[in-house]
Amino acid sequence: MMSITTPADLYSACREVLRLRHLSYRTEQTYLGVIRRYVAYHGNRSPVNMGVPEIRAFLSHLATQGNVAASTQNVAFSALLFLYKDVLKTSLPEIHGVERAKRSKRLPTVLSQAEAKRLLDAMTGTPRMMAQMLYGAGLRLTELLELRVKDVDLERG
């Protein structure tokens, strides 16, 4: 592993480990964004010189002043664990006392079968086919956009 003396070295080391682990580009961008915010929050101090108290303070800050969703705070926690365990090769004790973001009490709005049928019937061409694939196969948008013709078995539906 390379010597980490500057923020640029840190981000390069993170990027290298993320790519060696074959994590997605979006995960790479998200983790690097969290790590940049973490370093900036602590006055551009090196994470090598920080530990559990700084992690706790940053995660609590996200929940209280940042008003982030619980899932965003969880992603930030995962990014920081990745930084310390996989990049800096530092073992961390269990982290207690973090102010947790509140989970949303809202239920997602889901279309009824009749509403979904009306919506799909109003579409034509490629957008309709894409919407049918999203709805019928339960794909995420990025999964749909990465599909190739050879990935779809049209004979078997």
Side-chain angles (χ1 to χ4, degrees), residues 55-82:
I55 293 171
R56 185 181 301 118
F58 177 69
L59 292 174
S60 294
H61 166 77
L62 289 178
T64 56
Q65 282 84 41
N67 293 321
V68 299
S71 60
T72 303
Q73 188 184 37
N74 289 336
V75 168
F77 185 58
S78 295
L80 295 176
L81 286 178
F82 163 80

Short mmCIF file of all heavy atoms in Angstrom, two decimals, residues 55-82:
data_model
loop_
_atom_site.label_atom_id
_atom_site.label_comp_id
_atom_site.label_asym_id
_atom_site.label_seq_id
_atom_site.Cartn_x
_atom_site.Cartn_y
_atom_site.Cartn_z
N ILE A 55 -15.13 9.81 14.66
CA ILE A 55 -16.18 9.11 13.91
C ILE A 55 -17.52 9.35 14.57
O ILE A 55 -18.52 9.68 13.92
CB ILE A 55 -15.88 7.60 13.81
CG1 ILE A 55 -14.64 7.37 12.95
CG2 ILE A 55 -17.08 6.84 13.25
CD1 ILE A 55 -14.13 5.93 12.98
N ARG A 56 -17.57 9.19 15.89
CA ARG A 56 -18.80 9.39 16.66
C ARG A 56 -19.32 10.83 16.46
O ARG A 56 -20.50 11.04 16.22
CB ARG A 56 -18.54 9.13 18.15
CG ARG A 56 -19.77 9.19 19.01
CD ARG A 56 -19.48 8.93 20.49
NE ARG A 56 -18.88 7.64 20.70
CZ ARG A 56 -17.65 7.45 21.21
NH1 ARG A 56 -16.91 8.48 21.59
NH2 ARG A 56 -17.16 6.24 21.37
N ALA A 57 -18.41 11.81 16.56
CA ALA A 57 -18.81 13.21 16.41
C ALA A 57 -19.37 13.48 15.01
O ALA A 57 -20.38 14.16 14.86
CB ALA A 57 -17.62 14.13 16.69
N PHE A 58 -18.72 12.93 13.99
CA PHE A 58 -19.17 13.16 12.61
C PHE A 58 -20.54 12.53 12.36
O PHE A 58 -21.44 13.16 11.80
CB PHE A 58 -18.14 12.61 11.62
CG PHE A 58 -18.55 12.75 10.18
CD1 PHE A 58 -18.60 14.00 9.57
CD2 PHE A 58 -18.86 11.64 9.43
CE1 PHE A 58 -18.98 14.13 8.24
CE2 PHE A 58 -19.24 11.76 8.10
CZ PHE A 58 -19.30 13.02 7.51
N LEU A 59 -20.70 11.28 12.78
CA LEU A 59 -21.98 10.59 12.55
C LEU A 59 -23.11 11.26 13.33
O LEU A 59 -24.24 11.39 12.83
CB LEU A 59 -21.86 9.12 12.92
CG LEU A 59 -20.95 8.28 12.03
CD1 LEU A 59 -20.80 6.87 12.59
CD2 LEU A 59 -21.46 8.25 10.59
N SER A 60 -22.82 11.70 14.55
CA SER A 60 -23.83 12.41 15.34
C SER A 60 -24.17 13.75 14.69
O SER A 60 -25.34 14.15 14.66
CB SER A 60 -23.35 12.62 16.77
OG SER A 60 -23.21 11.38 17.42
N HIS A 61 -23.17 14.42 14.15
CA HIS A 61 -23.39 15.68 13.44
C HIS A 61 -24.32 15.47 12.24
O HIS A 61 -25.22 16.28 11.99
CB HIS A 61 -22.06 16.27 12.97
CG HIS A 61 -22.21 17.36 11.96
ND1 HIS A 61 -22.59 18.64 12.29
CD2 HIS A 61 -22.05 17.35 10.61
CE1 HIS A 61 -22.67 19.38 11.19
NE2 HIS A 61 -22.34 18.62 10.16
N LEU A 62 -24.11 14.40 11.50
CA LEU A 62 -24.98 14.11 10.35
C LEU A 62 -26.43 13.98 10.78
O LEU A 62 -27.33 14.48 10.11
CB LEU A 62 -24.54 12.83 9.63
CG LEU A 62 -23.23 12.87 8.86
CD1 LEU A 62 -22.94 11.49 8.25
CD2 LEU A 62 -23.26 13.93 7.77
N ALA A 63 -26.66 13.32 11.92
CA ALA A 63 -28.03 13.08 12.39
C ALA A 63 -28.67 14.34 12.96
O ALA A 63 -29.85 14.59 12.74
CB ALA A 63 -28.03 11.98 13.44
N THR A 64 -27.88 15.13 13.70
CA THR A 64 -28.48 16.27 14.41
C THR A 64 -28.49 17.54 13.57
O THR A 64 -29.54 18.14 13.37
CB THR A 64 -27.75 16.53 15.73
OG1 THR A 64 -26.36 16.72 15.49
CG2 THR A 64 -27.95 15.36 16.70
N GLN A 65 -27.34 17.96 13.07
CA GLN A 65 -27.30 19.19 12.27
C GLN A 65 -27.49 18.93 10.77
O GLN A 65 -27.99 19.79 10.06
CB GLN A 65 -25.97 19.94 12.47
CG GLN A 65 -25.88 20.74 13.75
CD GLN A 65 -25.45 19.89 14.93
OE1 GLN A 65 -24.58 19.06 14.79
NE2 GLN A 65 -26.08 20.09 16.07
N GLY A 66 -27.07 17.77 10.31
CA GLY A 66 -27.17 17.46 8.88
C GLY A 66 -28.55 17.02 8.46
O GLY A 66 -28.89 17.04 7.28
N ASN A 67 -29.38 16.61 9.42
CA ASN A 67 -30.74 16.13 9.14
C ASN A 67 -30.79 15.10 8.03
O ASN A 67 -31.65 15.14 7.16
CB ASN A 67 -31.68 17.31 8.79
CG ASN A 67 -31.90 18.21 9.97
OD1 ASN A 67 -32.03 17.74 11.11
ND2 ASN A 67 -31.90 19.51 9.73
N VAL A 68 -29.84 14.15 8.05
CA VAL A 68 -29.82 13.13 7.02
C VAL A 68 -30.75 11.99 7.40
O VAL A 68 -31.10 11.81 8.57
CB VAL A 68 -28.39 12.58 6.78
CG1 VAL A 68 -27.45 13.68 6.32
CG2 VAL A 68 -27.86 11.87 8.00
N ALA A 69 -31.13 11.21 6.42
CA ALA A 69 -31.96 10.03 6.66
C ALA A 69 -31.11 8.97 7.34
O ALA A 69 -29.87 8.97 7.25
CB ALA A 69 -32.50 9.50 5.34
N ALA A 70 -31.77 8.04 8.00
CA ALA A 70 -31.06 6.96 8.69
C ALA A 70 -30.20 6.16 7.71
O ALA A 70 -29.08 5.78 8.02
CB ALA A 70 -32.05 6.05 9.40
N SER A 71 -30.71 5.92 6.51
CA SER A 71 -29.94 5.15 5.53
C SER A 71 -28.68 5.90 5.11
O SER A 71 -27.63 5.30 4.88
CB SER A 71 -30.80 4.82 4.31
OG SER A 71 -31.26 5.99 3.69
N THR A 72 -28.75 7.23 5.02
CA THR A 72 -27.57 8.04 4.67
C THR A 72 -26.53 7.94 5.77
O THR A 72 -25.33 7.82 5.50
CB THR A 72 -27.98 9.50 4.43
OG1 THR A 72 -28.97 9.54 3.41
CG2 THR A 72 -26.79 10.36 4.04
N GLN A 73 -26.97 7.99 7.02
CA GLN A 73 -26.04 7.86 8.13
C GLN A 73 -25.40 6.46 8.13
O GLN A 73 -24.21 6.33 8.40
CB GLN A 73 -26.75 8.12 9.46
CG GLN A 73 -25.80 8.18 10.64
CD GLN A 73 -26.52 8.34 11.96
OE1 GLN A 73 -27.59 7.76 12.16
NE2 GLN A 73 -25.95 9.11 12.87
N ASN A 74 -26.17 5.44 7.80
CA ASN A 74 -25.63 4.08 7.74
C ASN A 74 -24.58 3.95 6.64
O ASN A 74 -23.56 3.29 6.82
CB ASN A 74 -26.74 3.06 7.52
CG ASN A 74 -27.62 2.91 8.75
OD1 ASN A 74 -27.19 3.19 9.86
ND2 ASN A 74 -28.85 2.49 8.54
N VAL A 75 -24.82 4.59 5.49
CA VAL A 75 -23.84 4.57 4.40
C VAL A 75 -22.57 5.28 4.85
O VAL A 75 -21.45 4.81 4.58
CB VAL A 75 -24.42 5.21 3.12
CG1 VAL A 75 -23.34 5.45 2.08
CG2 VAL A 75 -25.52 4.33 2.54
N ALA A 76 -22.72 6.41 5.53
CA ALA A 76 -21.55 7.14 6.03
C ALA A 76 -20.76 6.27 7.00
O ALA A 76 -19.52 6.23 6.94
CB ALA A 76 -21.98 8.44 6.70
N PHE A 77 -21.44 5.56 7.86
CA PHE A 77 -20.78 4.68 8.82
C PHE A 77 -20.01 3.58 8.07
O PHE A 77 -18.85 3.29 8.39
CB PHE A 77 -21.81 4.08 9.77
CG PHE A 77 -21.21 3.25 10.87
CD1 PHE A 77 -20.28 3.79 11.75
CD2 PHE A 77 -21.57 1.93 11.03
CE1 PHE A 77 -19.74 3.03 12.78
CE2 PHE A 77 -21.03 1.16 12.05
CZ PHE A 77 -20.11 1.71 12.92
N SER A 78 -20.63 2.99 7.06
CA SER A 78 -19.97 1.95 6.26
C SER A 78 -18.74 2.51 5.55
O SER A 78 -17.70 1.84 5.48
CB SER A 78 -20.93 1.37 5.23
OG SER A 78 -21.98 0.70 5.86
N ALA A 79 -18.83 3.72 5.03
CA ALA A 79 -17.70 4.34 4.34
C ALA A 79 -16.54 4.56 5.30
O ALA A 79 -15.37 4.32 4.94
CB ALA A 79 -18.13 5.66 3.71
N LEU A 80 -16.83 4.99 6.52
CA LEU A 80 -15.77 5.23 7.49
C LEU A 80 -15.16 3.92 7.99
O LEU A 80 -13.94 3.83 8.19
CB LEU A 80 -16.29 6.07 8.66
CG LEU A 80 -16.71 7.49 8.28
CD1 LEU A 80 -17.29 8.22 9.47
CD2 LEU A 80 -15.56 8.27 7.66
N LEU A 81 -15.98 2.89 8.16
CA LEU A 81 -15.43 1.58 8.52
C LEU A 81 -14.51 1.08 7.41
O LEU A 81 -13.44 0.54 7.68
CB LEU A 81 -16.56 0.57 8.76
CG LEU A 81 -17.34 0.72 10.06
CD1 LEU A 81 -18.45 -0.33 10.13
CD2 LEU A 81 -16.43 0.61 11.26
N PHE A 82 -14.94 1.26 6.16
CA PHE A 82 -14.11 0.88 5.02
C PHE A 82 -12.78 1.63 5.07
O PHE A 82 -11.71 1.03 4.89
CB PHE A 82 -14.85 1.19 3.71
CG PHE A 82 -13.95 1.22 2.51
CD1 PHE A 82 -13.54 0.05 1.90
CD2 PHE A 82 -13.50 2.43 2.01
CE1 PHE A 82 -12.69 0.08 0.81
CE2 PHE A 82 -12.65 2.47 0.92
CZ PHE A 82 -12.25 1.29 0.31
#
